[in-house]
Amino acid sequence: MSEDIGFFEKVYQVVRLIPRGRVTSYGAIARSIGSPGAGRMVGWALNKSFSDKGFIPAHRVVNRNGRLTGKIHFGGKEIMRELLISEGIRIVDDQVVDFSSLFWDPLKNIEEFPI
DNA sequence: GTTATGACTGCGA
DNA sequence: TTCGCAGCCATAA
């Protein structure tokens, strides 16, 4: 069943569901997979995803302020910003412009497409 | 088995 | 407004 997968797998699934040109937060993902408060683990899972899994749109995951706190893990401090810009998302001072409008809630999507 | 860590979040000063 | 502290969960050592 879908609950046989581990925490990391759930994170990957949710992150992969993030539409292009949209963003979400670590806490939102943690909550969507039934582990509120594990936001820090979400970031850790994504970090591991670079070598364990294929491409994960981790650049679409930011903190609750829309700030690119994880950009330092992309191998280059500008990589995350470039990826977001290439999707039509504007970044100013390491922050997502109009974050509230671009925010994509995993919970809302999972209601329609359960993992 | 315990301990430490972390790409977070919320509240208080 | 910015800054600091505490809570939260899963994984690694």
Side-chain angles (χ1 to χ4, degrees):
Chain A
M1 294 304 242
S2 58
E3 298 188 10
D4 287 15
I5 65 179
F7 179 86
F8 282 25
E9 291 292 332
K10 291 182 181 178
V11 174
Y12 303 149
Q13 296 264 3
V14 174
V15 174
R16 269 180 259 203
L17 293 175
I18 302 173
R20 186 174 179 283
R22 294 298 212 92
V23 294
T24 190
S25 66
Y26 302 96
I29 294 173
R31 253 166 293 188
S32 69
I33 62 180
S35 298
R40 290 185 276 190
M41 282 308 307
V42 174
W44 196 352
L46 293 176
N47 185 6
K48 221 175 170 223
S49 73
F50 280 94
S51 55
D52 287 4
K53 301 293 175 181
F55 173 74
I56 303 290
H59 57 278
R60 296 176 188 156
V61 186
V62 297
N63 72 351
R64 68 180 183 85
N65 293 316
R67 188 154 176 267
L68 311 184
T69 54
K71 67 174 187 174
I72 61 177
H73 295 277
F74 277 75
K77 56 185 178 182
E78 297 299 313
I79 302 299
M80 189 174 186
R81 189 175 75 87
E82 291 297 322
L83 287 170
L84 290 169
I85 290 176
S86 68
E87 297 188 351
I89 299 174
R90 288 188 290 178
I91 307 299
V92 175
D93 193 25
D94 294 335
Q95 272 184 220
V96 177
V97 178
D98 199 8
F99 175 65
S100 300
S101 298
L102 296 176
F103 181 76
W104 176 83
D105 188 352
L107 287 171
K108 188 173 182 180
N109 186 60
I110 290 174
E111 286 179 358
E112 302 175 33
F113 307 97
I115 298 174

